[in-house]
Amino acid sequence: MLTTLSRKLLMCFTGLFLCFFLIIHFLGNLQLFLPAEQAHTQFNAYSHFLSGNIVIKIVSYVLYTSIILHALDAVVITIKNRRSGKKYHCDQRQRASKWYSRNMGVLGTIILIFLVIHFQNFWYIYKFGTPPIDSNGNKDLYMLVVTTFREWWYVVIYVLSMVALCYHLIHGVHSAIRTLGLFHPKYVKWIRNCGIAYSVIISVGFAMMPIYIYFTQ
């Protein structure tokens, strides 16, 4: 059985790995902002390279494991805290704590539902479906992305999910730093601002991708 500290560390390390993965995923997806023809060729070539790289495959397995462990650990922590009369990730100062810090479970659930939809629409079809092939013989993930992002309802779901992700990250990064004992009072403001900047840039950047494609493709 894992101790309370072990569960917090598991939550911390899986969360930080997911934060790191978001940066890599974000940088790769920036290709979607290129001119359409260039983005089409380059994004498909990039996706083909990732799908055939053994290192990326190993990282992907770590990613899937981290998502599952992070979600399950959050459920266990939430249940235990409710049984003990505490709220998830609450610092016992209801008036001082932010609303998103008291509703991490709700935000996490929204993100998890989004991930299921996202994986089904892109990862599952790319891996196990029959996506079209581009002129270079690569699976045409770009057209799959464009076709999906042309649906207004998916764009709305995507953007709202990124709002949830933003608030989840703001509190998550802050909490992870505290768990690791790196939260020094002298640097508290700098650390908080860096965490907020990271969360906003990642979330807004991802949210702009479907919006850009919806209005330009």
Side-chain angles (χ1 to χ4, degrees):
M1 296 294 290
L2 294 176
T3 64
T4 300
L5 178 59
S6 297
R7 292 194 179 282
K8 287 185 177 181
L9 287 174
L10 178 61
M11 177 71 71
C12 172
F13 287 121
T14 54
L16 288 177
F17 174 78
L18 293 174
C19 286
F20 171 74
F21 174 79
L22 282 175
I23 296 175
I24 303 302
H25 190 46
F26 174 75
L27 293 176
N29 282 11
L30 285 177
Q31 296 172 98
L32 295 173
F33 290 113
L34 294 171
E37 186 175 346
Q38 183 182 355
H40 194 168
T41 301
Q42 192 167 312
F43 189 72
N44 286 344
Y46 169 74
S47 302
H48 178 73
F49 167 76
L50 293 183
S51 65
N53 189 294
I54 184 62
V55 175
I56 300 301
K57 286 185 177 181
I58 294 174
V59 172
S60 66
Y61 291 131
V62 177
L63 170 67
Y64 309 146
T65 303
S66 295
I67 292 174
I68 293 172
L69 290 178
H70 195 76
L72 291 177
D73 200 30
V75 171
V76 172
I77 291 175
T78 300
I79 292 175
K80 286 183 174 293
N81 285 346
R82 285 182 177 177
R83 286 178 178 175
S84 64
K86 300 177 182 178
K87 290 188 176 181
Y88 176 64
H89 275 250
C90 178
D91 60 3
Q92 305 305 313
R93 294 176 299 171
Q94 294 290 328
R95 295 180 180 177
S97 61
K98 302 294 185 180
W99 68 267
Y100 50 82
S101 69
R102 301 192 301 271
N103 292 279
M104 285 291 281
V106 175
L107 295 174
T109 300
I110 293 173
I111 296 168
L112 185 60
I113 293 173
F114 166 76
L115 284 176
V116 172
I117 298 173
H118 192 66
F119 270 72
Q120 192 279 328
N121 283 330
F122 299 113
W123 177 84
Y124 182 82
I125 294 178
Y126 187 82
K127 291 290 186 181
F128 305 107
T130 54
I133 305 299
D134 67 11
S135 58
N136 294 315
N138 297 321
K139 292 183 179 180
D140 204 342
L141 181 60
Y142 178 80
M143 284 309 301
L144 181 60
V145 170
V146 169
T147 300
T148 302
F149 286 166
R150 282 173 178 166
E151 301 290 341
W152 68 267
W153 58 268
Y154 190 87
V155 175
V156 172
I157 290 175
Y158 200 106
V159 172
L160 292 178
S161 297
M162 291 306 101
V163 173
L165 176 65
C166 184
Y167 285 112
H168 193 82
L169 287 174
I170 288 174
H171 179 74
V173 172
H174 179 84
S175 180
I177 296 300
R178 292 182 68 94
T179 299
L180 293 176
L182 303 176
F183 202 80
H184 193 283
K186 183 178 179 180
Y187 307 107
V188 59
K189 186 175 181 179
W190 182 83
I191 293 174
R192 181 183 294 112
N193 289 340
C194 285
I196 292 174
Y198 162 81
S199 304
V200 171
I201 291 172
I202 289 292
S203 302
V204 172
F206 274 120
M208 288 303 298
M209 293 173 189
I211 293 175
Y212 172 79
I213 289 178
Y214 181 80
F215 285 105
T216 61
Q217 298 298 316

